[in-house]
Structures are given as C-alpha cells and as structure tokens.
Amino acid sequence: MIQLIKHVKVYRETAWRDSDILLAGQKIEAVDGRIEASAPGLVTVDGRGMFAVPGYLDRHVHITGGGGEGGMSNQVPPLRISAPVRGGVTTVVGVLGTDGLTRSVESLAAKAMALEEEGLTAFFLTGAYSYPPVSLTGNVKKDIVMLQNCIGVKIAVSDHRSSCVTTAELARLAADVWQAGILKGRSAFVHLHVGKGKAGLGQLFEILEQSDLPVSVFHPTHLGNQPEDAARFAQMGGWVDFTTLQDPDESAEQMVDALERCPPELVTFSTDSNGSMPIWNERKEMAGVGAGRISSLHQTICAMVKSKGVPLEQAIRPCTSNAARALKLPGKGRLEPGCDGDLLLLDDKLEIRSVYAMGRQLMWDGKLTFAPKFEYL
C-alpha cells in the first residue's frame, strides 16, 4: 500500500518545516517539502495543521499485566491494544514484575506476538524480579538466542522485593547476556528494576570497575528512585531510564531534572504501564496500590512542552530516537527515508489525532480505524 500524507510539519534541517510524507508498505519512502506521486491504489490524506513525530517506543510495559502484591485481586489486567494506540506508542518492550510465578515468560512471548498481529512492534525480556531468573527454555542465554523477539533479561536490585542477588551473581548473569547478544548478532542487555534501596547502583559500579563487561550491557530503570547514581552512571556512558509518573506536571518536573543531571542523549522515558504501583510505609507494609498507564508518556511530553518550555523536538527524543538507539533499532524513532512507518500526527494543542504503525493507519482524526478484539469484555 502506498500512502501520501500532505501538508504536515516535520522537524528536519533544524526547524519545523511544511512537509509531505510518502509511505510505501511498512516503510517511509520519502519526506520532503512537496512530493508528487501517482500509483495504482495511492491513498492521499491531508494533515494540514498537524505536527508529524515518530511513534513512541515504550521500553517497559507489563503487557500481560503486573502486580499481585497484597493479594491476587491486585493483579493488573493485560494491556489492550487500544491503549498504546491512543497513547501514541507504536513499539513496546514487554516485561514481567514481582510475580514471576503466576505470570510466565511463555505468556509474555505470546502477548508480544499478539500485539504484533494487531499492528504494533513488540519485544520482550525474559526474567522477572527474582534470581535465578525465570525463563522459557530454562536458560536465560538460550531464551535470548533462540527466541526472536527476546532482547534481554529483567531482574530487580535495591528493592525489598528483590532476591538480594549478589554482585558475583549479577556479573555472571550480565556476562551470559552479553555473550548471548554476540551469538545472536544483536545487542542484548540486563534491564534492572531499581528500587529505593540503600545499595542504589553500587553493584553496577563495582562490576564495571572489576570486570571487562561494557557499560552498555546494563540498562537500569525507575531511576527517579536513585537520581544521583543515575547521573553517575550516565556520565560513564550508560543508558538511564526514567519512569513517567501519573501526575503530568510532577512527571515533567522529574524528567526535566533528569535531562539536566544526565547527558540528554543517554536518557530514555518509559511508563511501567499495567504494572502495579504499591505504596509502602516505613515498615515495608503496603498502604495502597495503583497502576501505571501508557498514556502517561504523551501526557508527560505535553507537560514538558507546555509547563516547562521544552521544545517539542527535544521533549520526544527520550522515547523516540534515544530509545531506538538504546534498543539498537535503527529503523525506529526517526522520520527519515528507510525508517519504519511509525508516526503520529499531533494538533496545535499536541493532542494525538492520528497514528500509523509499520505503515498501517491505526487511528485517524481521533478515532481508531480498526476494531479491537474483545474490547467489549
């Protein structure tokens, strides 16, 4: 299918310029000031007054649902396809959380396949909070090498819900992941849930000082919990991921602070969508629970632009081009010829009006262009 999106503003050559975008199949064929095209079946749409930006990459999503702290009734439901589409997310990385018992890597892999069938790009991480990590094949290295969309492993550190993994165990796990990436021919990484614990990122610093492992094998997240260690890790050249908050203004405040503390080209944002967000008192007793929403990503970007004065082209980088580079996805995060046809059209109020994923129109003028399965349940 060939589609021509006319009269949109695209940030190129250091400015927002009036542009046309030509999509051919799943890819961007051309982006230019004016494109004249004719072909059998060509679909032309008018995006006048819209800003075109790359589709967002959310690298931490509980696609099968998360939680379970405080009882099984606290388990969060799985992600429905309409939520990421409405939130402008066209690429997701699925993860497990505290519960690696009733939630499995098998179900995670299946849900990633389901999301791809529905139009998104979806990857997943083996493992959960615990050590030794849960896996599908019984071996983390084998999961990464043999499962096409498995790009790493997740584990928890500096959290009272973690397995208190030793530094030697964490180093051995990272070595296995690094070797698996070499065998697979693509980057693989250890994705670390980082809590508010006393150790912070101390184990990572120790491993990097005493081993030959590269800093790129570690991808810590939830670093609003450890902002000083995050800045130190980023200064070493490591990727640092910050979780968007449910209050947009509070979230924007944290993200602007992260971009000031850390080299901005190494900062990524993610949502922890459909994961539980328990509230703990000083005795580590659960006093309440909420859940992450994938919509918080775009809401945070809007607040950064409107409340903090961050230019739109800078506000989106942590969940577009930065995230694509962190995940080693060269076809994502940019509106350039040869890139995947993932893009959003925003109106002058920055509301998401239209969504394209891999060249397929999933939303137009605020309405889904497909019928989500089982949404009536």
Side-chain angles (χ1 to χ4, degrees), residues 232-244:
R232 178 183 170 188
F233 188 73
Q235 291 296 335
M236 296 170 65
W239 289 103
V240 287
D241 187 58
F242 290 81
T243 306
T244 53

Side-chain angles (χ1 to χ4, degrees), residues 196 221-227 230 241-243 254:
K196 298 181 179 180
T221 188
H222 308 323
L223 287 176
N225 292 329
Q226 305 283 352
D241 187 58
F242 290 81
T243 306
Q254 177 174 285

Side-chain angles (χ1 to χ4, degrees), residues 6-198:
K6 302 283 289 183
H7 308 304
V8 293
K9 292 187 181 298
V10 176
Y11 191 80
R12 55 189 181 90
E13 300 172 357
T14 70
W16 288 97
R17 301 181 186 277
D18 292 334
S19 307
D20 296 345
I21 302 172
L22 182 65
L23 301 175
Q26 297 182 340
K27 299 289 185 179
I28 297 173
E29 182 68 21
V31 180
D32 209 339
R34 183 177 180 183
I35 298 174
E36 298 294 341
S38 61
L42 173 67
V43 175
T44 302
V45 297
D46 191 346
R48 198 179 307 270
M50 299 290 173
F51 295 87
V53 300
Y56 300 147
L57 293 84
D58 192 339
R59 54 179 310 194
H60 190 107
V61 183
H62 292 268
I63 57 178
T64 57
E69 296 104 331
M72 295 302 172
S73 63
N74 286 339
Q75 287 192 334
V76 183
L79 182 74
R80 292 180 181 267
I81 183 64
S82 57
V85 173
R86 293 188 184 281
V89 175
T90 56
T91 299
V92 298
V93 179
V95 297
L96 296 178
T98 316
D99 183 3
L101 297 173
T102 69
R103 314 270 189 178
S104 69
V105 179
E106 288 86 344
S107 62
L108 196 65
K111 181 64 173 179
M113 287 188 282
L115 290 172
E116 290 217 324
E117 289 176 5
E118 293 179 294
L120 302 187
T121 300
F123 300 93
F124 69 93
L125 303 176
T126 192
Y129 272 28
S130 61
Y131 186 89
V134 295
S135 63
L136 191 153
T137 65
N139 182 284
V140 165
K141 189 187 299 185
K142 189 179 293 186
D143 275 13
I144 295 171
V145 172
M146 301 305 298
L147 303 177
Q148 180 63 31
N149 284 12
C150 182
I151 58 175
V153 66
K154 179 182 176 180
I155 192 169
V157 296
S158 294
D159 194 298
H160 64 96
R161 296 165 292 174
S162 73
S163 293
C164 297
V165 60
T166 68
T167 302
E169 289 169 336
L170 184 57
R172 178 59 59 84
L173 177 63
D176 283 347
V177 170
W178 180 248
Q179 187 182 76
I182 292 172
L183 293 173
K184 193 170 187 175
R186 65 146 296 147
S187 176
F189 57 91
V190 181
H191 186 69
L192 295 113
H193 162 106
V194 181
K196 298 181 179 180
K198 301 171 185 176

